[in-house]
Amino acid sequence: MSTESANPTYIYKLIPYTAPPPTPLPPALPVSELDQKSGFIHLSTALQIPGTLKHFFTDDPSVYILRIPYSAIEKDIRWESPDAKVCGSRPGESLFPHLYNGLKLGRDEVDSMQAWTRTEGGGWDEALKQAQEWLVL
């Protein structure tokens, strides 16, 4: 995905099971340490989610996924290359959407949320397959 390509319908925020989002969502969720250090909120497109799960959630038994309408936050998105020092090269995944809005992400930005659980001893393939209709490009 780049600024020259068609914009996605949704972008996604992955949250570890150790930091479950409150229900209902508040106006602003707690910000991860990585997002705080970076000064922006790390997001993924639907096509980037498998790689993000592989690199950052390999040992997590479950994960929360927030679906965010792109049009609602488009003005605060910058499409940037992932930091290869963190997880190595991610060929084919292109640029990542980063949200620069003062680290605010909550009920006003999020369309819906799902909790995914990976198969015991396996990867995220089954969860991704079950979420196929919910993951919109």
Side-chain angles (χ1 to χ4, degrees), residues 34 37-38 42 55-56 81-90:
L34 177 62
K37 285 181 181 178
S38 301
H42 294 261
H55 290 291
F56 293 99
S81 181
D83 185 352
K85 294 179 286 189
V86 174
C87 62
S89 177
R90 294 179 69 173

Coordinates of all heavy atoms in Angstrom, one line a residue, residues 34 37-38 42 55-56 81-90:
L34 N 5.6 0.5 22.5 CA 6.2 0.7 21.2 C 5.6 2.0 20.6 O 6.3 2.8 20.0 CB 5.9 -0.5 20.3 CG 6.3 -0.3 18.8 CD1 7.9 -0.2 18.7 CD2 5.9 -1.5 18.0
K37 N 7.1 5.1 22.4 CA 8.5 5.3 21.9 C 8.5 5.9 20.5 O 9.4 6.7 20.2 CB 9.3 4.0 22.0 CG 9.7 3.6 23.4 CD 10.5 2.3 23.3 CE 10.9 1.9 24.7 NZ 11.7 0.6 24.7
S38 N 7.7 5.4 19.7 CA 7.7 5.8 18.2 C 7.0 7.2 18.0 O 7.3 7.9 17.1 CB 6.9 4.8 17.4 OG 7.5 3.5 17.5
H42 N 1.1 2.4 15.6 CA 1.4 1.4 14.5 C 0.1 0.7 14.1 O -0.6 0.2 14.9 CB 2.4 0.4 15.0 CG 3.7 0.9 15.3 ND1 4.8 0.8 14.5 CD2 4.2 1.6 16.4 CE1 5.8 1.4 15.0 NE2 5.5 1.9 16.2
H55 N 5.5 -11.7 13.2 CA 6.7 -11.0 13.8 C 6.5 -10.6 15.2 O 7.5 -10.5 16.0 CB 7.1 -9.8 12.9 CG 7.7 -10.2 11.6 ND1 8.9 -10.9 11.5 CD2 7.2 -10.1 10.4 CE1 9.1 -11.1 10.2 NE2 8.1 -10.7 9.5
F56 N 5.3 -10.2 15.6 CA 5.1 -9.6 16.9 C 4.2 -10.4 17.9 O 4.1 -10.1 19.1 CB 4.5 -8.2 16.8 CG 5.4 -7.3 16.1 CD1 5.3 -7.0 14.7 CD2 6.5 -6.7 16.8 CE1 6.2 -6.1 14.1 CE2 7.3 -5.8 16.2 CZ 7.2 -5.5 14.8
S81 N 7.8 3.1 5.8 CA 8.5 1.8 5.8 C 8.6 1.3 7.2 O 8.9 2.1 8.1 CB 9.8 2.0 5.1 OG 10.5 0.8 5.1
P82 N 8.5 0.0 7.4 CA 8.7 -0.6 8.7 C 10.2 -0.5 9.1 O 11.0 -0.5 8.2 CB 8.2 -2.0 8.6 CG 8.4 -2.4 7.1 CD 8.1 -1.1 6.4
D83 N 10.5 -0.4 10.3 CA 11.8 -0.4 10.8 C 12.4 -1.8 10.8 O 12.1 -2.7 11.5 CB 11.9 0.2 12.3 CG 13.3 0.4 12.8 OD1 14.2 0.0 12.1 OD2 13.4 0.9 13.9
A84 N 13.3 -2.0 9.8 CA 13.9 -3.4 9.6 C 14.7 -3.8 10.8 O 15.0 -5.0 11.0 CB 14.8 -3.4 8.4
K85 N 15.1 -2.9 11.7 CA 15.8 -3.3 12.9 C 15.0 -4.0 13.9 O 15.4 -4.8 14.7 CB 16.4 -2.0 13.6 CG 17.5 -1.3 12.8 CD 18.0 -0.1 13.6 CE 16.9 1.0 13.5 NZ 17.3 2.3 13.9
V86 N 13.7 -3.8 13.9 CA 12.7 -4.4 14.8 C 12.4 -5.9 14.4 O 12.5 -6.8 15.2 CB 11.4 -3.6 14.9 CG1 10.4 -4.3 15.8 CG2 11.7 -2.2 15.5
C87 N 12.1 -6.1 13.1 CA 11.6 -7.4 12.7 C 12.2 -7.9 11.4 O 11.8 -8.8 10.8 CB 10.1 -7.5 12.7 SG 9.4 -6.4 11.5
G88 N 13.3 -7.2 10.9 CA 13.9 -7.6 9.7 C 13.1 -7.1 8.5 O 12.0 -6.5 8.6
S89 N 13.5 -7.4 7.3 CA 12.9 -7.0 6.1 C 11.5 -7.7 6.0 O 11.3 -8.8 6.4 CB 13.8 -7.4 4.9 OG 13.1 -7.1 3.7
R90 N 10.5 -6.9 5.5 CA 9.2 -7.5 5.3 C 8.8 -7.3 3.8 O 7.9 -6.5 3.5 CB 8.2 -6.8 6.2 CG 8.5 -7.2 7.7 CD 7.6 -6.6 8.7 NE 6.3 -7.1 8.6 CZ 5.4 -6.8 9.5 NH1 5.6 -6.0 10.5 NH2 4.2 -7.3 9.4

